[in-house]
């Protein structure tokens, strides 16, 4: 059986968990919690960067990061389930990258608050990262992604839903005050894709 190293709170890990459910692979992959800050965790042998998610295949090979794993799962499902072919492919991949960028910037803000002593926190850095989040959210608000059809989200829709879920988790849903179209889009996603609720971070994550 394959093994996914991740954590409950990781939006990138949630992307893969969602993809596993959508593609019918959820019962074929064991999810194992990784402690990214623990030098004794085997994660650093599995991925030299020590980052999650990573997928350990049955032959021992390891895939990372979330975009690579998403491509792999799509391939294993026969292709064009999460990532279409042709010119549309690049639109989906670009929007997935934009949604992933929201997570990257938001995680930087979280780490700045958690990892640095109060006297060493760099507000300009936080503001810089927040501006990335705001611009990306505005882009999605102005040009919303299509609503999900028949419980079959594409890679960009999955990535955006997980990014917004992470903002709910770590920033008390403050984004919801300014982006009503995104709120409606996420509500529709959650009702159309049951796995969104199944993959919610655990309380206290």
């Amino acid at each position: 059986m394959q093994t996914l190293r991740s954590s409950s709170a990781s939006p990138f890990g949630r992307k893969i968990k969602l993809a596993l459910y959508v593609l019918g692979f959820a019962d074929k992959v064991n999810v194992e919690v990784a402690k990214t800050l623990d030098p004794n965790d085997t994660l650093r042998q599995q991925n030299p960067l020590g980052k999650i998610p990573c997928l350990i295949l049955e032959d021992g090979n390891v895939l990372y990061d979330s975009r690579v794993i998403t491509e792999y799962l799509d391939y294993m499902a026969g292709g064009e389930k999460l990532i279409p072919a042709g010119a549309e492919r690049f639109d989906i991949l670009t929007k997935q990258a934009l949604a992933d960028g929201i997570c990257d910037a938001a995680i930087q803000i979280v780490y700045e608050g958690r990892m640095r002593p109060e006297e060493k926190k760099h507000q300009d850095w936080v503001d810089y990262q927040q501006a990335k989040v705001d611009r990306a959210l505005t882009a999605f608000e102005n040009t919303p992604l299509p609503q999900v059809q028949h419980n079959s989200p594409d890679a960009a829709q999955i990535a955006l839903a997980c990014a917004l879920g992470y903002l709910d988790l770590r920033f008390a849903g403050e984004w919801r005050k300014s982006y009503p179209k995104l709120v409606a889009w996420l509500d529709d996603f959650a009702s159309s894709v049951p796995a969104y609720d199944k993959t919610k971070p655990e309380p206290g994550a």
Side-chain angles (χ1 to χ4, degrees):
M1 180 175 281
Q2 297 178 356
T3 299
L4 175 68
R5 302 299 312 281
S6 186
S7 73
S8 177
S10 169
F12 298 113
R14 189 179 187 186
K15 274 177 57 180
I16 304 308
K17 293 171 192 174
L18 254 174
L20 290 170
Y21 274 108
V22 167
L23 296 174
F25 293 154
D27 62 346
K28 296 178 173 61
V29 177
N30 178 51
V31 178
E32 184 178 290
V33 174
K35 298 179 180 178
T36 56
L37 298 180
D38 183 355
N40 295 315
D41 192 297
T42 56
L43 177 67
R44 298 181 189 188
Q45 284 75 56
Q46 293 149 355
N47 176 357
L49 297 173
K51 296 175 69 175
I52 53 175
C54 66
L55 183 67
I56 306 169
L57 307 183
E58 290 182 359
D59 63 5
N61 285 323
V62 183
L63 301 179
Y64 44 83
D65 61 6
S66 67
R67 276 176 263 186
V68 173
I69 300 171
T70 298
E71 289 254 14
Y72 169 78
L73 294 177
D74 192 54
Y75 165 76
M76 293 301 295
E80 299 185 42
K81 302 294 192 301
L82 304 179
I83 305 169
E88 187 184 359
R89 169 184 179 85
F90 300 101
D91 180 58
I92 297 299
L93 290 176
T94 298
K95 288 173 179 173
Q96 178 187 208
L98 182 60
D100 284 350
I102 293 173
C103 298
D104 285 330
I107 288 170
Q108 289 293 321
I109 296 171
V110 170
Y111 282 178
E112 185 73 15
R114 285 184 175 180
M115 308 300 286
R116 288 186 186 274
E118 190 64 37
E119 66 277 8
K120 292 185 177 180
K121 290 179 182 176
H122 197 321
Q123 188 59 45
D124 287 346
W125 175 252
V126 171
D127 293 343
Y128 176 67
Q129 300 300 331
Q130 185 62 53
K132 293 181 187 180
V133 174
D134 295 341
R135 289 194 301 270
L137 291 175
T138 298
F140 281 121
E141 177 78 4
N142 291 341
T143 308
L145 295 185
Q147 294 181 338
V148 175
Q149 301 297 321
H150 310 298
N151 191 27
S152 299
D154 61 37
Q157 292 168 324
I158 289 174
L160 179 58
C162 291
L164 297 176
Y166 187 73
L167 296 181
D168 279 340
L169 175 69
R170 291 294 185 236
F171 302 95
E174 281 293 313
W175 66 275
R176 291 174 173 270
K177 299 175 183 177
S178 303
Y179 304 99
K181 291 180 183 178
L182 276 179
V183 172
W185 182 88
L186 184 61
D187 287 345
D188 179 78
F189 183 97
S191 65
S192 300
V193 184
Y196 188 69
D197 283 334
K198 290 181 182 178
T199 58
K200 272 187 176 179
E202 297 170 1

